[in-house]
Amino acid sequence: MIAVRKLKPAPGLEMTETEIPKIGPDDVLVKVKACSLCGTDVHIYKWDAPWDTRVKPPRTLGHEVCGDIVEIGKNVTSFSVGDYVSAESHIADWKCFQCRIGNQHVCLNMKLLGVDVDGAFAEYVSLPEANLWKNPKNMPPEVATLQESLGNSVYTVYSGDIVGKTVTVFGLGPTGQFAIGLARVAGATKIIAIGGTKLHLDVAKKMGADVLINRHEEDVVKRIMDETDGIGSDVLLEMSGSPEAINQGLKSLRRGGRVTLLGLPSEDVKLNWSSDVVLKEAHINGIWGRKMFDTWIITSRLLGSGRLDITPIITHKLKLKDYDKAIELAASGQAGKVVMFP
Amino acid sequence: MIAVRKLKPAPGLEMTETEIPKIGPDDVLVKVKACSLCGTDVHIYKWDAPWDTRVKPPRTLGHEVCGDIVEIGKNVTSFSVGDYVSAESHIADWKCFQCRIGNQHVCLNMKLLGVDVDGAFAEYVSLPEANLWKNPKNMPPEVATLQESLGNSVYTVYSGDIVGKTVTVFGLGPTGQFAIGLARVAGATKIIAIGGTKLHLDVAKKMGADVLINRHEEDVVKRIMDETDGIGSDVLLEMSGSPEAINQGLKSLRRGGRVTLLGLPSEDVKLNWSSDVVLKEAHINGIWGRKMFDTWIITSRLLGSGRLDITPIITHKLKLKDYDKAIELAASGQAGKVVMFP
Amino acid sequence: MIAVRKLKPAPGLEMTETEIPKIGPDDVLVKVKACSLCGTDVHIYKWDAPWDTRVKPPRTLGHEVCGDIVEIGKNVTSFSVGDYVSAESHIADWKCFQCRIGNQHVCLNMKLLGVDVDGAFAEYVSLPEANLWKNPKNMPPEVATLQESLGNSVYTVYSGDIVGKTVTVFGLGPTGQFAIGLARVAGATKIIAIGGTKLHLDVAKKMGADVLINRHEEDVVKRIMDETDGIGSDVLLEMSGSPEAINQGLKSLRRGGRVTLLGLPSEDVKLNWSSDVVLKEAHINGIWGRKMFDTWIITSRLLGSGRLDITPIITHKLKLKDYDKAIELAASGQAGKVVMFP
Amino acid sequence: MIAVRKLKPAPGLEMTETEIPKIGPDDVLVKVKACSLCGTDVHIYKWDAPWDTRVKPPRTLGHEVCGDIVEIGKNVTSFSVGDYVSAESHIADWKCFQCRIGNQHVCLNMKLLGVDVDGAFAEYVSLPEANLWKNPKNMPPEVATLQESLGNSVYTVYSGDIVGKTVTVFGLGPTGQFAIGLARVAGATKIIAIGGTKLHLDVAKKMGADVLINRHEEDVVKRIMDETDGIGSDVLLEMSGSPEAINQGLKSLRRGGRVTLLGLPSEDVKLNWSSDVVLKEAHINGIWGRKMFDTWIITSRLLGSGRLDITPIITHKLKLKDYDKAIELAASGQAGKVVMFP
């Protein structure tokens, strides 16, 4: 089969012919219908830290995927050949301390699809039964492949109350745009989007933002305080990873407000801890991945019921063979989600 | 001024001339713009227990209201003459054990507006500052007066997670119809409405129900199980007070599901406690009134932001002088909410 | 090996020679150090419904157990020969809807040890790796075998806040006595035990109860209200399964209080639903089994740290060959926990 | 009467004769039995920022107090002359946005006793009825006065689950020592105290710490990881305000652990936000004051029931006239709580 692989410990990727994966007794073989790009793929392409030491070539990339099951291992009982599935990309051991208290998503021995094992930028991918999610037949492949990525935002936005809340969303890449849509369908009553380009703010408006702030053109904290009668936001969704945004978000949060963090700063963050965290009674929680499978149920139902429409965020659909262009688009900061088809 | 009052300990109400209320130092005087009817008003009209022993005539009825402040007591600091307000109808003492742990809504010494003190079916009403809620100027009076009643449903629906849930709503009077709308705007992905008349089911559809069940025509439990792949609903909102509905709702609830109760049975309820509550790991919570003022904030924001439209539930608007017809409509079971204007 | 088995579909049990279990690739073989009796064992002995249709003889009974691993299946990676373990008795499929949302304890396809598969009243027992819990070497076998049973009470008592609370415990069998000890070590500040015999009330006092009520000698509701300044208890732990206790417990609960249910009534329960559940804003939750493995961690740590001493509840230690006497003791209502040694 | 007052905008305090406070209609006059010192008093004594701009001399200091009511205002209904009370020191307006959602402890218009209004280092103090807490008659005054301060720790320790948890406590001043005692009585199964002096670690042991770490002598993070099988602590209670401790505490926290913050750094804090907060799924919450009056109920019950003994933390009892020595002791870092008697 054809696969997009990292063949050498160096920048770049190659499309090569390789063998269809052999599956184990607890795995299934999936014929890929669609796969999609994430920032991690871009970093591995560029051979950035910490991926340059973690990924061991040769390795097929890709962890966002949907497709049809074409073969099942002998222990597989809850899925069948012909099922249309997506994949949770975090492969837990289901045995460690964290797995035993229901935190499989932070398994102490976790493997990542397309990083530690061969992934889905290919015609076929092998997946453990425990990582499968069954899709409704009528879900378009370009949507079904995005559930893993959307799930990060689902877990972020719904990790606390959202209905009737004033919410700030910092960072308008795909996870931030998803967050706006998710806040909207769950009854947030004032959604304030903070971004840096007209393009991003236009998409935010389409997704349901009520207030748009261009961080280059306005005093972000002042505007949020004005929009909240001087009290501050109830909920801060931090999707940017920018130290400046984290500080602005905390300063414009009301006392006792919620802060949920998905964005990953690449450097240390400096805070006025006393005023902006302790005395503010901020409730901060970090997010890693998705809850297995609480997050998937909500994600799947929101899409399947038609409550949530994420198509404004799917800006590009390409052939898998155009992976170089796909990577370039994803790296540009101008694209939303980029979906590829084998 | 003109007021609709219970003058004798007997069925019926009378419209009479009475004095404009004198306000105390912590109260305001409100000129009524709209008031609305609740089941309690019908019971007091009919002089049913337990109201026949609690209400002490002469008493002006009415606890759902909005209007403009025309006078303020000397200790009032957070509201001004001219403010357009609605009223929380439960008058707490703010001093008892429950008030001191943030449960003012179940104050041990609670007085009820229009029951224990003179109410709002009148041209003017005296209200404690602590019971006021300020409305946006552009909120229509027929909506603003319904916030107290809508608040019961807000507290019910949002007393647990709702986004991505399959929800059954038993009882399609106004509180049930509100609940459907509230579940819809907060992201419930399958809303199953169970009612007894085509009229009620039609309104339920307008409010956002996905599945309509006429309890006279179908096996309610079987249908819910079919709609949920045999697993049962995630959330049961019990708005009917029918012992049969309570049993059906529990039997069609999934293990670990939530049950929130607003409906008040007039008789004892018999349950298969072992199967339907204990082993089912049901999470049941009762509702009384509204949280002061968490509930009001959400209610006001959902209406003010335009997220929630309750106008399909306002079926009748009358003059206050037509209170007899209003009571008749409310008692008929055919009306939604009945609003009156002085 | 020797095992205590149900050989015919009729009352009684027999001790017979049988083969040491063969283990599968995901299982381990455990040499039993101690096993203990639960009410279910008594019911199966007596051949009561629903066990008379569920249990398929021949079947080795017993689901409370500890022992040493003497053999491991080829897929077992987190336990080794020589490990000293106890067993979660609920065998989940880890694949169904409930398992996928972290509710393995209410798995839709659950099998019970000693009921649906051969159990632990024997010299050896086969157990799935996923059901094992590793014990500290110095935990006495008569304590280690009780963790499954104690776990029910751990899950019950700690399914809501307990520190600083006034708690009523109805039913002073082993689960109720465990509950008293657990409430005490977690900071409940007034523990009211309601029982029917002097023996039970004496043990309750040893476990940490502050107030003892003999339900045959006092007005239970009145006494609880007196002990709580007329407000009612904060938390009701219902361990009796008695419809009368459920009613008394609800009537003596404060508004907004918590009710957690472990006791299983054998008949329907009739309640004043409006007053005692809805308007009271009761928060009721049912309990089935133990959370895997959140409950086990707490149970193990409380025992291992010496914070909790359950020895007053272990009233009898016998040889496995005296199983008839053990059953008789457990059925008498006079014993605490009865532990047996092969 | 005699009072200890800041008479000039400069370091120091003076004991002077002043008038007994006149009380308003909603206030009571309390004859002080005991008062106690807090770090804030030391800062005001030294005339440190931000207190040098907030305190307006002349001002009587002191916000930790207990005493007997000797006079009540005309609107006071829930307390009587002769009641033995302590005081919540945060005077809320009960009208602002935060007060209306049950967050009186972060009132937007809060006044502080002994800072913004005259305090309790005096023979008499005027207190609003809404700030009173009634004590059992047999509670010693040196304990009753400490409830305000203890309450900070109660709110901190119990703002999440504690039973069965491994807990680190950073900072062994009085709030840290209280935290250890509170964790112990609520069932924390491994309490790790991190301090800097033998004296502090000795008191920590008396209060119930299981593991003592002298931060000058050990690698704090390594030791905590060793004590937790390499997984990290479940709960971090940060009572020190040291940026180094915050970093060590986060690095030794398990994924998904809780962090509750009472300590106030005097400078900005720099963190590895990605690893130690976001990817760690830390749940961080800041603490300000005490919940009115949820915190007080628990505090009062733990002391009144005898479950918690805080006497090891009361290291000094002095006459009010020896306030200079009291301040010196409190500033030394060697004392626990210092109580004074008029």
Side-chain angles (χ1 to χ4, degrees):
Chain A
M1 67 171 190
I2 290 296
V4 175
R5 313 193 82 195
K6 172 75 74 178
L7 293 179
K8 288 169 303 190
L13 285 174
E14 288 176 56
M15 178 170 262
T16 65
E17 186 72 24
T18 185
E19 278 189 44
I20 293 177
K22 301 274 175 287
I23 61 170
D26 299 310
D27 302 327
V28 306
L29 188 68
V30 166
K31 186 170 196 315
V32 175
K33 292 175 92 158
C35 52
S36 38
L37 272 168
C38 156
T40 302
D41 299 313
V42 177
H43 284 297
I44 299 174
Y45 179 93
K46 294 182 175 176
W47 209 230
D48 291 342
W51 307 105
D52 55 346
T53 52
R54 179 161 184 168
V55 175
K56 308 295 177 201
R59 174 70 68 230
T60 304
L61 260 62
H63 58 273
E64 303 182 5
V65 63
C66 69
D68 292 326
I69 297 179
V70 292
E71 186 188 344
I72 65 171
K74 73 178 171 59
N75 296 338
V76 173
T77 56
S78 49
F79 291 85
S80 310
V81 168
D83 282 350
Y84 171 35
V85 296
S86 291
E88 166 57 48
S89 64
H90 291 176
I91 303 171
D93 73 356
W94 294 83
K95 296 185 175 184
C96 74
F97 174 84
Q98 294 286 4
C99 286
R100 289 208 126 191
I101 58 171
N103 290 343
Q104 294 85 3
H105 68 298
V106 289
C107 171
L108 298 174
N109 304 305
M110 185 183 290
K111 289 181 192 159
L112 304 180
L113 184 68
V115 172
D116 303 312
V117 301
D118 278 340
F121 291 169
E123 289 177 88
Y124 295 90
V125 60
S126 168
L127 296 167
E129 178 184 18
N131 284 57
L132 300 177
W133 185 261
K134 194 170 174 174
N135 297 318
K137 287 290 178 197
N138 64 348
M139 185 179 283
E142 64 264 33
V143 169
T145 184
L146 293 181
Q147 291 177 100
E148 196 254 19
S149 173
L150 175 57
N152 285 319
S153 298
V154 168
Y155 184 22
T156 303
V157 178
Y158 302 150
S159 68
D161 289 340
I162 198 79
V163 65
K165 301 299 183 215
T166 296
V167 180
T168 52
V169 181
F170 283 79
L172 300 181
T175 60
Q177 302 289 6
F178 285 144
I180 291 167
L182 291 162
R184 183 66 186 239
V185 299
T189 40
K190 188 173 239 184
I191 302 168
I192 304 175
I194 301 93
T197 69
K198 188 177 177 311
L199 177 68
H200 281 171
L201 291 164
D202 285 349
V203 177
K205 192 170 171 59
K206 272 188 213 158
M207 293 306 296
D210 299 287
V211 177
L212 306 172
I213 303 180
N214 187 323
R215 64 187 162 84
H216 302 305
E217 296 174 2
E218 287 194 73
D219 179 330
V220 172
V221 174
K222 185 180 177 310
R223 176 72 187 279
I224 296 170
M225 296 310 285
D226 287 349
E227 291 283 346
T228 56
D229 301 326
I231 289 168
S233 71
D234 298 307
V235 178
L236 157 60
L237 304 174
E238 211 306 291
M239 323 299 278
S240 75
S242 149
E244 189 184 10
I246 293 166
N247 273 284
Q248 290 172 336
L250 283 167
K251 282 182 196 313
S252 58
L253 183 77
R254 73 160 169 85
R255 278 197 163 177
R258 171 170 58 115
V259 179
T260 304
L261 307 165
L262 186 62
L264 292 171
S266 53
E267 56 197 305
D268 281 1
V269 174
K270 214 170 119 179
L271 295 172
N272 185 333
W273 192 257
S274 289
S275 293
D276 294 347
V277 180
V278 188
L279 294 175
K280 178 154 279 194
E281 291 213 336
H283 286 68
I284 302 174
N285 67 305
I287 293 290
W288 165 247
R290 297 145 297 279
K291 293 286 283 183
M292 299 173 199
F293 277 85
D294 312 57
T295 303
W296 280 87
I297 290 174
I298 298 174
T299 306
S300 173
R301 287 177 172 182
L302 285 174
L303 293 171
S305 65
R307 299 292 200 261
L308 178 69
D309 175 17
I310 58 171
T311 51
I313 302 166
I314 308 170
T315 53
H316 298 84
K317 301 185 201 177
L318 292 91
K319 289 281 175 192
L320 179 57
K321 67 177 173 58
D322 298 323
Y323 64 93
D324 260 326
K325 182 166 167 49
I327 293 270
E328 192 183 311
L329 281 162
S332 73
Q334 297 303 310
K337 288 299 288 190
V338 178
V339 180
M340 300 184 293
F341 303 86
Chain B
M1 67 171 189
I2 289 296
V4 176
R5 313 193 83 195
K6 174 74 75 176
L7 293 179
K8 289 169 302 190
L13 285 174
E14 288 176 56
M15 177 169 263
T16 65
E17 186 73 23
T18 186
E19 279 190 43
I20 291 177
K22 300 276 176 287
I23 62 169
D26 298 309
D27 303 326
V28 306
L29 187 68
V30 166
K31 187 171 196 313
V32 175
K33 291 176 93 158
C35 51
S36 39
L37 271 168
C38 155
T40 301
D41 299 313
V42 176
H43 284 297
I44 298 175
Y45 178 94
K46 294 182 175 175
W47 209 228
D48 292 342
W51 308 105
D52 55 346
T53 52
R54 179 161 184 169
V55 175
K56 308 296 179 201
R59 173 69 67 232
T60 303
L61 259 63
H63 58 272
E64 302 181 6
V65 62
C66 70
D68 292 327
I69 296 178
V70 293
E71 185 189 343
I72 64 170
K74 72 180 172 58
N75 296 338
V76 173
T77 55
S78 49
F79 291 86
S80 310
V81 168
D83 281 350
Y84 170 35
V85 295
S86 290
E88 166 57 51
S89 64
H90 291 177
I91 303 170
D93 73 355
W94 295 85
K95 296 184 175 184
C96 74
F97 174 84
Q98 294 286 4
C99 286
R100 289 208 128 193
I101 57 171
N103 290 343
Q104 294 85 5
H105 68 298
V106 290
C107 171
L108 298 173
N109 304 304
M110 187 183 289
K111 289 181 191 158
L112 304 180
L113 184 68
V115 172
D116 303 313
V117 302
D118 280 339
F121 291 169
E123 289 177 89
Y124 294 91
V125 60
S126 168
L127 295 168
E129 178 185 17
N131 284 55
L132 299 177
W133 186 260
K134 193 170 174 175
N135 297 318
K137 286 292 177 197
N138 63 348
M139 185 179 283
E142 64 266 31
V143 170
T145 183
L146 293 181
Q147 290 177 101
E148 194 256 17
S149 174
L150 174 59
N152 285 318
S153 298
V154 168
Y155 183 21
T156 302
V157 177
Y158 301 150
S159 67
D161 288 341
I162 198 79
V163 65
K165 301 299 184 213
T166 297
V167 180
T168 52
V169 180
F170 283 79
L172 300 181
T175 60
Q177 303 289 7
F178 286 144
I180 292 167
L182 291 162
R184 183 68 186 238
V185 300
T189 40
K190 188 174 242 186
I191 301 169
I192 304 174
I194 300 95
T197 69
K198 186 174 178 314
L199 178 67
H200 281 170
L201 291 164
D202 286 349
V203 178
K205 193 171 170 58
K206 270 187 216 160
M207 292 307 296
D210 299 287
V211 178
L212 306 172
I213 304 181
N214 186 324
R215 64 186 161 85
H216 302 306
E217 296 174 3
E218 287 194 72
D219 180 329
V220 172
V221 174
K222 186 182 176 309
R223 176 71 187 279
I224 297 169
M225 295 310 284
D226 288 349
E227 291 282 347
T228 57
D229 302 324
I231 288 169
S233 70
D234 298 308
V235 178
L236 156 60
L237 303 175
E238 211 307 290
M239 321 300 277
S240 75
S242 150
E244 190 184 7
I246 294 166
N247 272 283
Q248 291 172 336
L250 283 168
K251 281 183 198 312
S252 58
L253 183 77
R254 75 161 168 84
R255 278 198 163 175
R258 170 170 60 116
V259 180
T260 303
L261 307 163
L262 185 64
L264 292 170
S266 53
E267 56 196 306
D268 281 1
V269 174
K270 216 170 117 177
L271 296 172
N272 186 332
W273 192 257
S274 289
S275 294
D276 295 347
V277 180
V278 187
L279 295 175
K280 178 153 279 192
E281 292 215 333
H283 286 69
I284 303 174
N285 67 306
I287 293 291
W288 165 246
R290 295 146 298 279
K291 292 287 284 183
M292 300 175 199
F293 278 86
D294 311 56
T295 304
W296 280 87
I297 290 174
I298 298 174
T299 307
S300 172
R301 287 178 171 181
L302 285 173
L303 294 170
S305 64
R307 299 291 200 260
L308 178 69
D309 175 16
I310 59 170
T311 52
I313 302 167
I314 307 171
T315 53
H316 299 84
K317 300 185 200 177
L318 293 91
K319 288 282 177 194
L320 179 57
K321 70 178 171 57
D322 299 323
Y323 65 93
D324 260 324
K325 183 166 167 45
I327 293 271
E328 195 183 308
L329 281 162
S332 73
Q334 297 304 311
K337 289 299 287 189
V338 179
V339 180
M340 301 185 293
F341 303 86
Chain C
M1 68 171 187
I2 289 297
V4 176
R5 313 193 83 196
K6 173 74 76 178
L7 293 179
K8 291 170 301 192
L13 286 174
E14 287 176 57
M15 178 169 263
T16 65
E17 186 72 23
T18 186
E19 278 189 44
I20 292 177
K22 301 274 176 286
I23 61 169
D26 299 309
D27 303 326
V28 306
L29 187 69
V30 166
K31 185 169 196 314
V32 175
K33 291 174 92 159
C35 53
S36 39
L37 274 167
C38 154
T40 301
D41 299 311
V42 177
H43 285 297
I44 298 175
Y45 179 94
K46 295 182 174 174
W47 210 230
D48 291 342
W51 308 104
D52 55 346
T53 52
R54 179 160 185 170
V55 176
K56 308 295 178 202
R59 174 69 67 232
T60 304
L61 261 63
H63 58 273
E64 304 182 5
V65 63
C66 69
D68 292 327
I69 297 179
V70 292
E71 186 188 343
I72 65 170
K74 71 178 171 62
N75 297 338
V76 173
T77 56
S78 48
F79 291 86
S80 310
V81 169
D83 282 351
Y84 172 33
V85 296
S86 290
E88 167 56 51
S89 64
H90 292 176
I91 303 170
D93 73 356
W94 294 84
K95 296 184 175 185
C96 73
F97 174 84
Q98 294 285 4
C99 286
R100 288 208 128 194
I101 57 171
N103 291 341
Q104 295 85 1
H105 69 298
V106 290
C107 171
L108 298 173
N109 305 305
M110 187 182 291
K111 288 182 193 156
L112 305 180
L113 183 68
V115 172
D116 303 313
V117 302
D118 280 338
F121 292 168
E123 290 177 87
Y124 295 90
V125 60
S126 168
L127 295 168
E129 179 185 18
N131 285 56
L132 300 177
W133 185 261
K134 193 170 175 175
N135 297 318
K137 286 291 177 195
N138 63 348
M139 186 179 284
E142 64 265 30
V143 169
T145 183
L146 293 181
Q147 291 176 100
E148 195 256 19
S149 173
L150 174 58
N152 285 317
S153 298
V154 168
Y155 184 21
T156 302
V157 177
Y158 302 149
S159 68
D161 288 339
I162 198 79
V163 65
K165 301 300 185 213
T166 296
V167 180
T168 53
V169 180
F170 282 79
L172 300 182
T175 59
Q177 303 289 8
F178 285 144
I180 291 168
L182 291 161
R184 183 67 186 239
V185 299
T189 39
K190 189 174 238 184
I191 302 168
I192 304 175
I194 300 95
T197 68
K198 186 174 177 315
L199 177 68
H200 281 171
L201 291 165
D202 286 348
V203 178
K205 193 170 169 59
K206 272 187 213 157
M207 293 307 296
D210 298 287
V211 177
L212 307 172
I213 303 180
N214 187 323
R215 64 187 162 84
H216 302 306
E217 297 174 2
E218 286 194 73
D219 180 328
V220 172
V221 174
K222 185 180 175 310
R223 176 71 187 279
I224 297 170
M225 296 310 284
D226 288 350
E227 291 283 346
T228 57
D229 300 326
I231 288 168
S233 71
D234 299 306
V235 178
L236 157 60
L237 304 175
E238 212 306 288
M239 323 299 279
S240 76
S242 149
E244 189 184 9
I246 294 166
N247 273 281
Q248 290 171 338
L250 284 167
K251 281 182 198 311
S252 58
L253 183 78
R254 74 163 169 83
R255 278 197 162 175
R258 169 171 59 117
V259 179
T260 304
L261 306 163
L262 185 64
L264 293 169
S266 53
E267 56 195 308
D268 282 2
V269 174
K270 216 170 117 178
L271 296 172
N272 185 333
W273 192 258
S274 289
S275 294
D276 294 346
V277 180
V278 187
L279 295 176
K280 177 153 281 191
E281 293 213 334
H283 287 69
I284 302 174
N285 66 305
I287 293 290
W288 165 246
R290 295 146 299 279
K291 294 286 282 183
M292 301 174 199
F293 278 85
D294 311 56
T295 303
W296 281 87
I297 290 174
I298 298 174
T299 306
S300 173
R301 287 177 172 182
L302 285 174
L303 294 171
S305 65
R307 299 293 200 258
L308 178 68
D309 176 16
I310 59 170
T311 52
I313 302 167
I314 307 171
T315 54
H316 298 84
K317 301 185 201 175
L318 293 90
K319 289 281 175 194
L320 179 57
K321 68 178 171 57
D322 298 323
Y323 66 93
D324 260 324
K325 183 167 166 48
I327 294 271
E328 193 182 310
L329 281 163
S332 72
Q334 297 303 311
K337 290 299 287 189
V338 179
V339 180
M340 299 184 295
F341 303 86
Chain D
M1 66 172 190
I2 290 296
V4 175
R5 315 194 81 194
K6 172 75 74 176
L7 293 179
K8 291 169 301 191
L13 285 174
E14 288 176 56
M15 177 169 264
T16 64
E17 186 72 23
T18 185
E19 278 189 44
I20 291 176
K22 300 275 176 286
I23 61 169
D26 299 309
D27 303 327
V28 306
L29 187 68
V30 165
K31 185 170 196 314
V32 175
K33 290 175 93 158
C35 53
S36 37
L37 272 168
C38 155
T40 301
D41 299 312
V42 176
H43 284 298
I44 299 175
Y45 179 94
K46 294 182 175 175
W47 210 230
D48 291 341
W51 307 105
D52 56 345
T53 52
R54 179 160 184 170
V55 176
K56 307 297 177 200
R59 173 70 67 231
T60 304
L61 259 65
H63 57 273
E64 302 182 6
V65 63
C66 69
D68 293 326
I69 297 179
V70 293
E71 185 188 344
I72 64 171
K74 72 179 170 60
N75 296 339
V76 174
T77 56
S78 49
F79 290 86
S80 310
V81 168
D83 282 351
Y84 172 33
V85 296
S86 291
E88 166 58 50
S89 64
H90 292 176
I91 303 170
D93 73 357
W94 295 84
K95 296 183 174 184
C96 73
F97 175 83
Q98 294 285 5
C99 286
R100 289 208 126 194
I101 57 170
N103 290 342
Q104 294 85 4
H105 68 299
V106 290
C107 171
L108 298 173
N109 304 304
M110 185 181 293
K111 288 181 193 159
L112 304 180
L113 183 68
V115 171
D116 303 312
V117 301
D118 279 339
F121 290 169
E123 288 177 89
Y124 295 90
V125 61
S126 168
L127 296 167
E129 179 184 18
N131 284 56
L132 300 177
W133 185 261
K134 193 171 174 174
N135 297 319
K137 285 292 178 194
N138 63 348
M139 185 179 282
E142 63 264 32
V143 170
T145 183
L146 293 181
Q147 291 177 99
E148 195 255 17
S149 174
L150 175 57
N152 285 319
S153 298
V154 168
Y155 183 22
T156 302
V157 178
Y158 301 152
S159 68
D161 288 340
I162 197 80
V163 66
K165 302 299 185 215
T166 297
V167 180
T168 52
V169 180
F170 283 79
L172 300 181
T175 61
Q177 303 288 8
F178 285 145
I180 291 168
L182 291 162
R184 182 69 186 238
V185 301
T189 40
K190 189 173 239 184
I191 302 168
I192 304 173
I194 300 95
T197 69
K198 187 174 177 314
L199 177 68
H200 281 171
L201 291 165
D202 286 348
V203 178
K205 191 168 171 59
K206 272 188 212 159
M207 293 307 295
D210 298 288
V211 177
L212 306 172
I213 303 180
N214 187 322
R215 63 187 162 84
H216 301 305
E217 297 174 2
E218 287 194 72
D219 179 329
V220 172
V221 173
K222 184 179 177 311
R223 175 73 187 278
I224 297 171
M225 296 311 284
D226 287 349
E227 291 284 345
T228 57
D229 301 325
I231 289 168
S233 70
D234 299 307
V235 178
L236 157 59
L237 304 174
E238 212 306 290
M239 323 300 277
S240 75
S242 148
E244 189 184 9
I246 294 166
N247 274 284
Q248 290 171 336
L250 283 167
K251 281 182 198 312
S252 59
L253 183 77
R254 74 162 170 85
R255 278 196 163 178
R258 168 171 60 115
V259 179
T260 304
L261 308 163
L262 185 64
L264 293 170
S266 53
E267 55 197 306
D268 281 2
V269 174
K270 216 170 117 178
L271 296 172
N272 185 332
W273 192 257
S274 289
S275 294
D276 294 346
V277 180
V278 186
L279 295 175
K280 179 153 278 193
E281 292 214 334
H283 287 68
I284 302 173
N285 67 305
I287 293 291
W288 164 246
R290 295 146 298 277
K291 293 287 283 183
M292 301 174 200
F293 277 84
D294 312 57
T295 303
W296 280 86
I297 290 174
I298 298 174
T299 307
S300 173
R301 287 177 172 183
L302 285 174
L303 294 172
S305 65
R307 299 293 201 259
L308 178 69
D309 175 17
I310 58 171
T311 52
I313 302 167
I314 307 171
T315 53
H316 298 82
K317 301 185 200 177
L318 293 91
K319 288 284 175 191
L320 179 56
K321 69 181 174 52
D322 298 323
Y323 65 92
D324 259 324
K325 181 166 168 48
I327 293 271
E328 194 183 310
L329 282 163
S332 72
Q334 296 303 309
K337 289 298 288 192
V338 179
V339 180
M340 300 184 292
F341 303 86

